[in-house]
Amino acid sequence: MEEKDFFSKSADSKYAKRIGKFTRVKESAIKFFFAVNGAMALIFIILIFIFLFKEGFKALEHIGLLDFLFFDRADASGIHQKVFEWYPTSEEARYSLVPLLLGTLLTAIPATIISTLLGVGTGIYLSEVANPKLKEFLKPAIELFAGIPTVVLGFIMLAVGASFFNDLLNPTNRLNAFVASIGLSFVIIPIIASLTEDALHSIPNDLRMASYGLGATKWQTVSRVILPAAFSGVSASIILGFGRAIGETMIVLMCAGNAANITADIFLSVRTMTATIAAEMGEVSQGSDHYYALFFIGIVLFTITFFLNLAAEIIISKMRKKNTF
Amino acid sequence: MKETKIAVKDLSLYYGDKQALKDINIDIPEKRVTAFIGPSGCGKSTFLRVLNRMNDLIDHVKIDGEVYIDGVNIYDKSLDIVNLRKNVGMVFQKSNLFPKTVYENIVYGPRLNGIRDKKLLDEIVEKTLNQAAIWDEAKDRLNENALSLSGGQQQRLCIARALAVEPEIILMDEPASALDPISTAKIEELIHELKLNYTIVIVTHNMQQAARVSDQTAFFYLGELIEYDRTTKIFTNPAKKQTEDYVTGRFG
Ligand SMILES: Nc1ncnc2c1ncn2[C@@H]1O[C@H](COP(=O)(O)OP(=O)(O)OP(=O)(O)O)[C@@H](O)[C@H]1O
Ligand SMILES: [Mg+2]
């Protein structure tokens, strides 16, 4: 065929079909709609971020950075003493975040440990042991559990759990870090369980077959192949759970006793950063030192959870890349 | 003919209500290569999995009949399936190495058997990699991720990993189907050497391959064993019309 011939035929070839104008407009309208939605979400996050940091940094003008660590008290004889106290309403206002930080850790860390044991165990059960029918029912049920308003969980712990543990363990304070961390576990176990199940489920079945084919038992397969292969996903789920434990408010407010003790004793009352903001924000006058101090706590919380979530995101996206072999 | 290693009696298998294998009777001899051929979906892989009870891992599978290995019915209720799989190794169509190092992949099986001694494990690694004809390519890469090897190397590593458990029987499900001609030739050569010590059952879609590597060939069609005989007979003078049509490429 002549070359000229070849090109002149192109108009009525079946490859010559063009996209209609309406289709093109529709496509771009849809794209625009989602772009706006995405942009809005991003803008709100940035605005919150700016507001928080703007207000929070004013705190540094009103209260020095060191004052958030300790209060320097000089007594009559001129001897200086460092006091780690949160006492913003006193004559001699003290703004040390140390007891609040300790309170947060003393509730969040035990909660994360308990939830890791039970949550990862549940995830393994769902992914590797439960038969498909049972799993189909259990997984949504567990995820639903994560959606129970935390005030309800807090209330149950306050009304029933606290008394139960009081009789059982006879703690120093009836409401204490331990009771709060049990309450927190109810929120975090479902998170860790669900994400662990996802991570294990994403491991290709070929690997299980390879392991069984070599004469491994189910438990050997899970512990030597599946869990190591899903290690990053499982650790990301634990980090996310920890972040949630630090950020959770209602349960710790209701169950931890709210005394800003400096302690490592899990059976003593503690006060967390979140509970402090929730309990005091309603009563401060806007623009006071106390008001800005609460914002500063907000920044600290925001930064901690931001970096925990970031770490988890990075680990998860690495895992996704690795799993595409 | 050599002594029988595996004897299958009246075996039927159902996936739910669907029958995938119908009354299979076959004797597989010791230290020989037996090939399973037949069109796609005829039940070759399913039957291979019957021989090391991998089908037990699939839901809703029901099996009737008996399979004897060295005279023991492996479908006996009290049989230790884990022990069975240690003696009946399997190589899969798609290489399925663990995302671990070459070394860790090989010693996975021996470690399951309680071998902890580092020197002994080293010996096993060298021996099995040699057996699988991949020692020269892999000896400097023992601590690299096994998934960084080429497809053909990975498949030979899978064979080495299976050998490390010291099975008597090796089941291979289209071990070379995803490989280039050179890797395929290496695997076929390997099968030739392995049959001195192992009983090998291989599923293949490649007629020439079946003709080259196997001593006897079984032709399956729609879940039935149509014909089973010496490979030369199957390929030159089959008794059944269906077999002839299939091996001459007239259908399937
Ligand atoms: N897990 C399963 N659940 C239900 N049916 C299955 C399952 N595995 C296989 N089958 C069915 O059993 C029949 C035999 O499948 P099998 O995989 O054994 O065939 P095959 O001969 O190995 O085919 P191929 O050559 O394509 O690998 C097919 O009809 C298939 O659809
Ligand atoms: Mg198959």
Side-chain angles (χ1 to χ4, degrees), chain A residues 311-324:
Chain A
E313 273 310 314
I314 290 173
I315 291 172
I316 289 175
S317 72
K318 273 223 182 99
M319 171 184 88
R320 289 231 176 82
K321 263 185 227 140
K322 221 176 67 189
N323 269 353
T324 52

Side-chain angles (χ1 to χ4, degrees), chain B residues 41 43-46 49 93 173-174 203 205:
Chain B
K44 304 178 296 293
S45 299
T46 301
R49 288 196 299 265
Q93 174 169 7
D173 195 348
E174 302 183 44
V203 171
H205 270 292

Side-chain angles (χ1 to χ4, degrees), chain A residues 131-133 206-218 220-221 224-225 228-229 322 325, chain B residues 54 57 59 82 85-86 88-90 92 94 96-100 108 111-112 116 147 161-162 165:
Chain A
N131 74 48
K133 274 224 182 85
D206 292 4
L207 293 188
R208 293 182 184 87
M209 291 303 146
S211 177
Y212 290 128
L214 292 164
T217 60
K218 172 157 253 164
Q220 286 168 332
T221 302
R224 298 182 189 203
V225 177
K322 221 176 67 189
F325 46 73
Chain B
M54 284 300 252
L57 301 169
D59 293 316
V82 165
R85 296 204 187 111
K86 282 176 180 159
V88 186
M90 191 160 204
F92 299 77
K94 219 175 112 230
N96 52 4
L97 294 169
F98 304 122
K100 300 169 184 263
Y108 182 83
R111 283 218 177 109
L112 291 178
R116 292 273 170 278
L147 301 178
R161 183 177 64 179
V165 192

Side-chain angles (χ1 to χ4, degrees), chain A residues 103-113 181 184 188 241-242 245-247 252 272:
Chain A
T104 291
L105 293 180
L106 207 58
T107 50
I109 291 175
T112 309
I113 293 172
S181 62
L184 286 176
I188 303 163
F242 184 54
I246 286 178
V252 287
T272 67

